[in-house]
Amino acid sequence: QVQLVESGGGLVQAGGSLRLSCAASGLTFNSYNMAWFRQAPGKEREFVAGINYWDGSTSYGDSVKGRFTISRDNAKRTVYLQMNSLKPEDTALYYCAAKLRFYSGLPGEYPYWGQGTQVTVSS
């Protein structure tokens, strides 16, 4: 059974930093593309960042480029999201997701999801 468990969310002031973690089990982690999405109340789920399984290449949503960094540790079966220079508009529930084969920024193409971790940025 695949499980993705996010942690590291919380309340932070604008300009601050947080690091999210997503621990994976029940899958061959180093064969999976990993991604972070977020969803704010009343909004659609939004792609934040993704990292490929074979070369570690990364991609980011336009709203977080230059501020967020995704990374993975295959030995620990964990993917991270370092979030710097946080803004109130970054407030959302952040989800970790996993998929095989081709990389995608579309949430509908990810079969495995975590339960989410809340990030709240105060102004």
Side-chain angles (χ1 to χ4, degrees):
Q1 180 181 359
V2 175
Q3 282 194 313
L4 302 176
V5 180
E6 301 97 334
S7 60
L11 174 64
V12 64
Q13 287 189 331
S17 298
L18 282 174
R19 188 175 85 151
L20 306 183
S21 300
C22 171
S25 61
L27 52 74
T28 306
F29 183 76
N30 58 7
S31 296
Y32 277 75
N33 297 301
M34 302 299 296
W36 288 95
F37 291 81
R38 68 186 182 187
Q39 190 165 18
K43 294 189 176 182
E44 293 187 351
R45 195 163 294 192
E46 174 190 15
F47 172 74
V48 175
I51 185 165
N52 282 340
Y53 73 94
W54 75 91
D55 63 358
S57 58
T58 59
S59 63
Y60 296 91
D62 288 342
S63 61
V64 307
K65 282 180 181 176
R67 300 188 297 122
F68 291 11
T69 303
I70 188 171
S71 62
R72 65 190 296 160
D73 185 333
N74 287 341
K76 294 183 178 180
R77 305 166 64 86
T78 300
V79 62
Y80 303 97
L81 185 67
Q82 178 66 44
M83 306 186 295
N84 299 328
S85 302
L86 282 161
K87 305 174 181 180
E89 51 264 44
D90 294 319
T91 295
L93 191 58
Y94 283 71
Y95 296 93
C96 172
K99 73 179 300 290
L100 284 169
R101 301 186 69 190
F102 307 112
Y103 164 78
S104 173
L106 300 175
E109 297 192 5
Y110 286 79
Y112 303 116
W113 291 85
Q115 81 289 350
T117 186
Q118 179 67 40
V119 171
T120 303
V121 184
S122 63
S123 57

